[in-house]
Amino acid sequence: MCPKCHVSARKWQRSVEIFEYRIKPLKSKVTFDFRCKNQNADEILNFLKVLESCFKIQLRSVSVDLNNDASLVIDIPDALCERDMVKFTVHTKTTLSSFQKPDFSVPRQHEDFIWLHDTLVETEEYAGLIIPPAPPKPDFESPREKMHKLGEGEASMTKEEYAKMKQELEAEYLAVFKKTVQVHEVFLQRLSSHPVLSKDRNFQIFLEYDQDLSVRRKNAKEMFGGFFKNMVKSADEVLISGIKEVDDFFEQEKTFLLDYFSKIKDSTAKAEKMTRSHKNIADDYIHISATLNAICAEDSTANKKSLEKLSDLFEKLRKVEGRVASDQELKLTELLRYYMRDIQAAKDLLYRRARALANYENSNKALDKARLKSRDIPQAEEHQQQCLQKFDRLSESAKKELTSFKGRRVMAFKKNLVEMAELEIKHAKVSLTAHPIKHTV
Amino acid sequence: MTDTAREPPPLHTDFHEVEDGEDLFPESPAAQQPQPASLPALDISTNSNGPKQDSLMDDDPEDLFAGATEEVSLDSPERDVLLSDGPSPAITPITPPTSVIAPRIGHAHDDMFTHSSFDEIEEEEGGDSFDVHISVSDPEKVGDGMNAYMAYKVSTKTSLSVFKQRDFSVKRRFSDFLGLHSKLASKYLHIGYIVPPAPEKSIVGMTKVKVGKEDQSSNEFVEKRRSALERYLMRTVKHPILLKDPDVLQFLENSELPRAVNTQALSSAGILRMVNKAADAVNKMTIKMNESDAWFEEKQQHFENLDVQLRKLHASVESLVCHRKELSVNTAQFAKSAAMLGNSEDHTALSRALSQLAEVEEKIDQLHQDQANADFYLFSELLGDYVRLITAVKGVFDHRIKTWQKWQDSQVLLLKKREAEAKLQFTNKPDKLQQAKDEIKELEGKVQQGERDFEQISKIIRKEVGRFEKERVKDFKTIIVKYLESLVQTQQQLIKYWEAFLPEAKAIS
């Protein structure tokens, strides 16, 4: 029983099903780690609000931990980068009997993830679900380009300058690497935490099959087929948007998602540009610091000390700028990018539902025609019933999915925006302490 | 009512008086009093800024920035008072002979940040008093079309007797500045004085202004030029010899000035100049001087290295300015995009937070823009000025070599003539002999003159280089401090903005 609000623990347990919490005293902070089984975001948020008011604690971060079901825990503990290919080690721990072993790992390539995603998308049963977006291809283009430029400019730099630039480059490379691992991991974790998708047979194969999956992967013909399908789909989208929506909820969602998608796509691009500018500034600081060093090495005047301090300052500042850039990228750009893809997945769901609606309406028309001709009426009726059932099922499932999607999205935005603001403050304070001038922080 | 307490007594323009009795910043007892005008170090009486002066007297080399205990806190109301009631940057307090005031860069809040405690206390030869302040302002477009030009107001405030008035101003155009420089260069460069170089011509920039494009880039161009002209004049008058030059006085005082036509880029004089420059460059490569003085060799090497490094640094800083401007633009674009995203968001709290984010980013973009300006006007322009100055210094060294060459040439000629005379002794041509003897006498005079010239130029260069280095140290120190302060300010503002945003983000539910 909660001492403050006298709410029975059992009540909370029922709705939220907490099964684990840890208290980690950390200097002046106490950390509560809750793993909630229930996926209903609203319930979780309500619970947390009550906690906040009861214990007068400030919830600093909501860990959107997707490994909430101990029966199936997936992570990518390491990955290998070979030229253009990244090999991920997918590690699974499970208590489910449907798997052969309780703890196992398999190597997987990026293409395997794509195969899994596309297979799920094409599975008829899951038409009413938001399929988590496929992870993007690992993109080492940017650090590679930088490395090329660095190699070209090596002659004009001092040894230290070159070493520092290389360091920055390596950090960037590592950041891209970490990002791609994370994004692949999150994809699998979203699948494992979904009540329906986690039971998918192909998913199990992906996790378990210890041979190369390339046999099952799309071969050229299938890929071409997929491309063709996409083309047809977009033609359809134009068609279907002409169909009158029967449900207000979906009408609203459609308008909202279409609009939001274009806005978030734009924001992602602009955020990326901002991050790149920050990185450029950090690089400039490296050059400035190095040149200042060279000047003050030769300087014997009273300027020497102040030039040294200035050079030191730029060296410290460039690290801070680099941190600011990468944090901004993680918290802002990546957030926007991820949800852009997620919204695309939600749009796909809406599209599938609209398709089902179109099919239903077509079946209605066919039934009317059959009745007119007094021929094949039972088949037409049967067909119409099927379409209706499918449509209803889809609508119901879609409603649930879209509602929980919104909650998830809001939580993730909150978490990331709060963290980004805190990091910006932290970095600005750090750069202030690096200054040789005394000032009020 | 606090305002009246803060207002300086109307009869005194000298802040020195105010400091004596009144405590300008009663709220911050622990804080060091920032000095609104740069009061010279020696002149401070014991009742103000005692502890600060002690540290200065020690001239602690370790903590170079000890004097800069400026409380750069943005909320301080005193700052606003200073900005509104404070003196305009042009007012110069009366200073004793031994200190030098750092150049103003024309921003209103310069006064707060000028740290006189940095001035080195030293005796200057001859006890020159330096009390001239020049500002270049009010650029005005005169005329139309391709004959248009910008007229700048050059205001001088001084207490030196060499000027006819204490406070006066004239209108000048860019070619007038160039004309002044070319006159000074022709008079003094070959004797060894380092004449500060004038700002560079820019045909593209000027054409835009002439054509009447009232856009951001032409405004920036005019501002850049105005600032450069101001720095140029201040450097010129800081030179004790140049200050007394009649051309300089005429430039500052006369309401009308004959137009300097031969400064036009595409004139015959311009082309002649370019040809001469090329010839000089060739000559430099062919002359090999026997340097007897190690000091000169060392200094020449020093300036060569400095030149290379400063150019590199200048390039890096220019790149920084460019990238920061890019960052500002990108941030502004992102702000707009975030605002639109916030608008289309249907969750109210998140929508509000996104709009707030957009606002924060917009403010930050302005911050970046300001910082880029500071980067440029403080750091980048300083470096550019010094790159050009060092070119002038190298020119002076080259003149010395030329002088030496002349001396050597006349010596060689004398030797030849002597040999010729010796030959003539054996022939019987008395008039030719006499002619030869006359020529020899003349040449001997020339040789002596050459030697004297060479020694003179060497002496002058030594003095000039010493003065130049001192100036350089001072300049750099001041600018570095100012620049660091701009960086600090930016970071503090950033913290403020993000701290204001944080509760909004946390309020999302």
Side-chain angles (χ1 to χ4, degrees):
Chain A
M1 185 110 119
C2 167
K4 283 240 178 170
C5 66
H6 301 291
V7 171
S8 132
R10 205 174 295 156
K11 177 178 180 198
W12 284 113
Q13 267 189 315
R14 247 187 289 133
S15 64
V16 185
E17 288 185 63
I18 312 164
F19 63 92
E20 183 183 323
Y21 67 88
R22 280 172 275 159
I23 303 179
K24 282 193 279 195
L26 190 69
K27 293 193 181 177
S28 61
K29 289 186 281 193
V30 173
T31 328
F32 289 80
D33 266 315
F34 291 95
R35 284 165 177 254
C36 304
K37 205 160 174 202
N38 191 313
Q39 268 222 95
N40 190 329
D42 292 330
E43 297 245 14
I44 297 176
L45 285 170
N46 279 335
F47 168 66
L48 291 171
K49 262 198 246 174
V50 170
L51 254 192
E52 243 180 336
S53 60
C54 268
F55 293 94
K56 285 218 169 43
I57 54 180
Q58 212 185 20
L59 282 172
R60 302 202 65 220
S61 63
V62 177
S63 169
V64 194
D65 189 359
L66 293 165
N67 268 336
N68 54 16
D69 192 344
S71 63
L72 186 63
V73 176
I74 305 177
D75 71 320
I76 299 183
D78 60 72
L80 208 71
C81 190
E82 285 173 10
R83 289 196 144 245
D84 256 349
M85 259 196 340
V86 184
K87 270 211 176 85
F88 302 95
T89 309
V90 178
H91 169 241
T92 316
K93 262 212 306 240
T94 177
T95 58
L96 297 174
S97 52
S98 47
F99 290 92
Q100 288 171 1
K101 288 182 275 188
D103 194 327
F104 51 91
S105 296
V106 291
R108 289 287 175 252
Q109 290 176 17
H110 170 73
E111 286 73 19
D112 299 329
F113 288 78
I114 302 297
W115 165 80
L116 177 60
H117 171 260
D118 290 347
T119 323
L120 292 172
V121 165
E122 283 161 23
T123 310
E124 195 63 40
E125 278 175 56
Y126 305 145
L129 306 173
I130 297 181
I131 311 288
K137 198 166 151 77
D139 178 22
F140 292 100
E141 187 54 46
S142 162
R144 207 170 282 152
E145 205 183 295
K146 241 176 148 181
M147 176 153 72
H148 190 68
K149 267 199 214 145
L150 185 65
E152 282 178 352
E154 183 177 358
S156 66
M157 290 188 233
T158 65
K159 254 197 176 154
E160 317 169 342
E161 219 174 321
Y162 182 71
K164 288 202 191 120
M165 290 293 283
K166 205 152 162 249
Q167 214 180 53
E168 271 300 304
L169 188 64
E170 280 166 7
E172 193 171 324
Y173 204 76
L174 196 66
V176 171
F177 192 64
K178 275 198 191 144
K179 226 180 0 166
T180 192
V181 165
Q182 188 205 37
V183 110
H184 284 75
E185 199 179 62
V186 162
F187 170 68
L188 293 178
Q189 287 171 346
R190 271 189 70 181
L191 288 178
S192 73
S193 58
H194 196 284
V196 177
L197 292 171
S198 58
K199 302 192 179 63
D200 179 72
R201 178 81 190 119
N202 285 310
F203 183 45
Q204 192 177 347
I205 292 173
F206 177 90
L207 292 174
E208 230 182 6
Y209 190 61
D210 56 3
Q211 306 284 329
D212 199 349
L213 273 182
S214 50
V215 179
R216 291 183 174 250
R217 280 198 269 134
K218 275 186 172 160
N219 56 26
K221 198 164 100 183
E222 270 186 83
M223 259 172 55
F224 194 58
F227 172 66
F228 192 59
K229 237 204 220 157
N230 269 333
M231 270 186 59
V232 172
K233 186 169 148 190
S234 39
D236 262 3
E237 267 180 333
V238 175
L239 242 178
I240 274 157
S241 57
I243 290 191
K244 192 176 162 323
E245 183 53 69
V246 292
D247 192 335
D248 258 347
F249 171 80
F250 285 101
E251 183 62 37
Q252 264 180 357
E253 280 296 306
K254 186 173 75 171
T255 326
F256 168 68
L257 284 179
L258 282 172
D259 180 41
Y260 202 75
F261 179 73
S262 65
K263 303 271 164 64
I264 203 173
K265 192 164 169 197
D266 183 57
S267 295
T268 311
K270 303 268 159 72
E272 226 181 279
K273 270 176 150 181
M274 251 199 334
T275 314
R276 220 172 314 143
S277 293
H278 269 297
K279 289 211 181 112
N280 284 338
I281 290 182
D283 284 343
D284 284 331
Y285 281 167
I286 294 181
H287 293 305
I288 293 177
S289 169
T291 318
L292 281 172
N293 256 336
I295 293 181
C296 75
E298 298 223 345
D299 197 308
S300 52
T301 66
N303 255 348
K304 195 182 174 88
K305 270 278 153 57
S306 59
L307 285 177
E308 264 174 15
K309 289 213 172 162
L310 194 62
S311 160
D312 267 345
L313 174 67
F314 273 108
E315 172 60 25
K316 291 192 191 118
L317 283 183
R318 69 114 180 160
K319 290 208 179 104
V320 173
E321 274 299 315
R323 244 15 38 76
V324 166
S326 62
D327 284 340
Q328 197 180 69
E329 172 148 49
L330 266 178
K331 300 291 167 194
L332 189 62
T333 317
E334 276 306 301
L335 169 78
L336 292 171
R337 211 178 273 141
Y338 186 75
Y339 276 95
M340 177 178 84
R341 281 185 269 122
D342 226 359
I343 289 179
Q344 182 62 45
K347 273 191 350 182
D348 289 344
L349 169 61
L350 280 182
Y351 164 76
R352 289 195 291 270
R353 178 182 165 276
R355 201 120 222 277
L357 179 60
N359 286 340
Y360 170 60
E361 302 212 335
N362 286 340
S363 74
N364 260 342
K365 289 200 194 111
L367 181 60
D368 286 342
K369 240 190 351 202
R371 284 200 177 124
L372 265 170
K373 291 192 186 150
S374 307
R375 216 173 54 173
D376 294 328
I377 295 181
Q379 291 106 306
E381 275 180 349
E382 165 101 30
H383 181 57
Q384 190 237 36
Q385 277 306 327
Q386 276 177 354
C387 287
L388 181 59
Q389 271 173 9
K390 182 171 170 203
F391 174 68
D392 281 339
R393 238 189 1 223
L394 257 184
S395 297
E396 198 186 306
S397 149
K399 215 178 226 170
K400 254 199 317 199
E401 287 273 309
L402 286 169
T403 319
S404 79
F405 170 65
K406 180 180 307 234
R408 212 174 47 226
R409 181 167 60 83
V410 170
M411 260 198 341
F413 266 74
K414 174 178 177 170
K415 168 178 186 250
N416 279 300
L417 287 177
V418 165
E419 283 177 4
M420 181 175 78
E422 284 172 350
L423 282 168
E424 290 267 354
I425 294 174
K426 182 177 112 174
H427 290 314
K429 286 195 176 152
V430 163
S431 78
L432 272 181
T433 55
H435 271 270
I437 292 184
K438 296 189 187 50
H439 47 261
T440 55
V441 171
Chain B
M1 42 195 149
T2 42
D3 283 358
T4 50
R6 291 243 178 83
E7 234 172 323
L11 291 176
H12 302 280
T13 52
D14 184 5
F15 263 62
H16 186 42
E17 303 281 321
V18 176
E19 294 269 7
D20 266 320
E22 208 169 54
D23 192 359
L24 270 179
F25 303 93
E27 292 100 51
S28 46
Q32 305 289 348
Q33 283 188 9
Q35 288 159 319
S38 62
L39 295 169
L42 270 190
D43 215 11
I44 306 289
S45 46
T46 47
N47 63 358
S48 60
N49 292 349
K52 194 169 168 190
Q53 289 315 303
D54 285 333
S55 70
L56 170 61
M57 294 297 179
D58 290 340
D59 210 336
D60 183 5
E62 287 311 306
D63 193 355
L64 209 63
F65 296 88
T69 50
E70 192 67 65
E71 291 251 317
V72 189
S73 115
L74 294 163
D75 281 336
S76 59
E78 308 96 351
R79 188 165 169 269
D80 296 320
V81 171
L82 271 181
L83 285 176
S84 51
D85 296 348
S88 68
I91 296 178
T92 339
I94 299 176
T95 64
T98 56
S99 58
V100 181
I101 297 174
R104 317 260 167 154
I105 310 288
H107 295 302
H109 53 266
D110 264 9
D111 300 334
M112 275 258 301
F113 300 139
T114 318
H115 296 281
S116 62
S117 42
F118 277 103
D119 299 339
E120 256 138 8
I121 313 153
E122 61 213 339
E123 297 294 314
E124 264 181 28
E125 308 108 336
D128 282 352
S129 84
F130 188 76
D131 177 25
V132 185
H133 179 68
I134 302 185
S135 70
V136 175
S137 54
D138 306 333
E140 237 176 24
K141 188 165 161 207
V142 176
D144 235 339
M146 286 311 284
N147 289 327
Y149 62 90
M150 293 301 273
Y152 302 90
K153 181 164 141 198
V154 177
S155 320
T156 317
K157 286 185 173 66
T158 175
S159 65
L160 291 183
S161 51
V162 69
F163 291 98
K164 300 194 195 109
Q165 294 169 289
R166 280 187 66 141
D167 186 345
F168 49 91
S169 65
V170 292
K171 282 257 181 217
R172 292 284 175 259
R173 54 182 291 188
F174 187 66
S175 52
D176 295 335
F177 290 83
L178 293 183
L180 173 68
H181 171 73
S182 82
K183 283 196 206 135
L184 292 177
S186 60
K187 276 199 262 186
Y188 293 105
L189 259 184
H190 62 94
I191 314 181
Y193 288 108
I194 301 175
V195 176
E200 282 167 354
K201 279 185 101 55
S202 162
I203 299 183
V204 173
M206 222 24 226
T207 315
K208 268 207 206 149
V209 173
K210 286 188 200 201
V211 167
K213 261 181 123 197
E214 273 297 321
D215 69 344
Q216 183 65 18
S217 67
S218 52
N219 286 342
E220 273 177 18
F221 172 77
V222 170
E223 174 56 28
K224 184 173 160 188
R225 182 165 271 196
R226 183 208 66 79
S227 163
L229 290 174
E230 194 172 277
R231 290 196 305 273
Y232 165 65
L233 283 181
M234 280 305 287
R235 285 218 177 86
T236 307
V237 297
K238 273 209 215 142
H239 195 298
I241 306 292
L242 293 180
L243 175 61
K244 307 216 170 66
D245 181 280
D247 279 323
V248 172
L249 297 174
Q250 190 190 46
F251 179 89
L252 291 173
E253 287 179 326
N254 286 20
S255 48
E256 288 295 322
L257 212 60
R259 237 194 100 183
V261 238
N262 58 356
T263 57
Q264 279 168 344
L266 301 173
S267 68
S268 52
I271 295 179
L272 192 65
R273 259 201 307 276
M274 279 195 287
V275 169
N276 279 336
K277 260 199 209 151
D280 279 346
V282 172
N283 277 337
K284 201 159 96 172
M285 289 192 287
T286 52
I287 294 179
K288 185 70 183 87
M289 176 167 165
N290 301 335
E291 187 57 76
S292 51
D293 198 336
W295 186 92
F296 280 93
E297 201 163 323
E298 183 197 313
K299 281 296 168 184
Q300 205 146 0
Q301 191 57 41
H302 165 70
F303 281 116
E304 286 286 332
N305 292 343
L306 197 58
D307 188 33
V308 166
Q309 297 298 351
L310 281 184
R311 275 181 206 267
K312 198 164 163 222
L313 188 60
H314 188 216
S316 299
V317 175
E318 275 186 334
S319 160
L320 174 67
V321 170
C322 172
H323 285 141
R324 227 196 268 281
K325 286 209 169 117
E326 251 177 43
L327 177 63
S328 163
V329 164
N330 288 340
T331 311
Q333 282 186 334
F334 174 73
K336 285 202 195 85
S337 180
M340 301 222 342
L341 191 65
N343 275 341
S344 69
E345 172 65 59
D346 62 352
H347 187 274
T348 24
L350 182 56
S351 166
R352 197 174 45 238
L354 284 174
S355 309
Q356 287 290 82
L357 180 68
E359 270 179 40
V360 166
E361 294 285 356
E362 215 179 293
K363 288 193 209 142
I364 289 180
D365 116 65
Q366 189 54 46
L367 208 60
H368 285 310
Q369 179 77 357
D370 292 340
Q371 181 61 54
N373 280 335
D375 286 346
F376 179 72
Y377 283 106
L378 290 179
F379 209 0
S380 176
E381 287 284 82
L382 171 78
L383 292 172
D385 284 349
Y386 270 90
V387 165
R388 280 195 296 274
L389 267 170
I390 289 188
T391 314
V393 171
K394 290 207 291 190
V396 153
F397 275 92
D398 288 342
H399 272 292
R400 176 171 169 272
I401 293 183
K402 270 203 237 162
T403 314
W404 180 84
Q405 188 65 33
K406 240 171 79 175
W407 175 33
Q408 293 299 95
D409 284 346
S410 40
Q411 263 192 329
V412 164
L413 202 59
L414 179 63
L415 217 62
K416 271 208 206 132
K417 289 284 176 185
R418 283 216 172 109
E419 280 175 9
E421 189 224 9
K423 279 204 198 127
L424 278 175
Q425 290 267 0
F426 295 111
T427 65
N428 211 0
K429 292 187 187 147
D431 45 335
K432 277 225 173 115
L433 195 62
Q434 188 53 40
Q435 193 189 29
K437 281 205 198 293
D438 287 337
E439 279 178 356
I440 285 176
K441 205 172 242 125
E442 204 187 308
L443 270 176
E444 276 174 354
K446 262 210 187 124
V447 167
Q448 275 177 359
Q449 182 63 35
E451 185 173 3
R452 266 203 304 272
D453 283 344
F454 180 71
E455 256 152 43
Q456 176 77 345
I457 195 177
S458 302
K459 196 171 93 186
I460 289 180
I461 288 184
R462 273 180 198 266
K463 229 171 63 174
E464 282 287 287
V465 167
R467 201 187 63 86
F468 175 79
E469 292 284 84
K470 245 191 278 171
E471 278 298 312
R472 177 166 78 92
V473 166
K474 231 174 286 177
D475 253 352
F476 268 74
K477 234 192 263 186
T478 329
I479 300 288
I480 285 175
V481 168
K482 280 208 182 94
Y483 180 65
L484 286 179
E485 271 161 2
S486 81
L487 285 177
V488 164
Q489 256 197 335
T490 306
Q491 295 300 329
Q492 285 179 324
Q493 273 294 69
L494 261 179
I495 290 180
K496 275 188 152 184
Y497 291 151
W498 285 112
E499 277 178 346
F501 172 71
L502 198 53
E504 278 292 334
K506 288 191 170 161
I508 304 173
S509 58

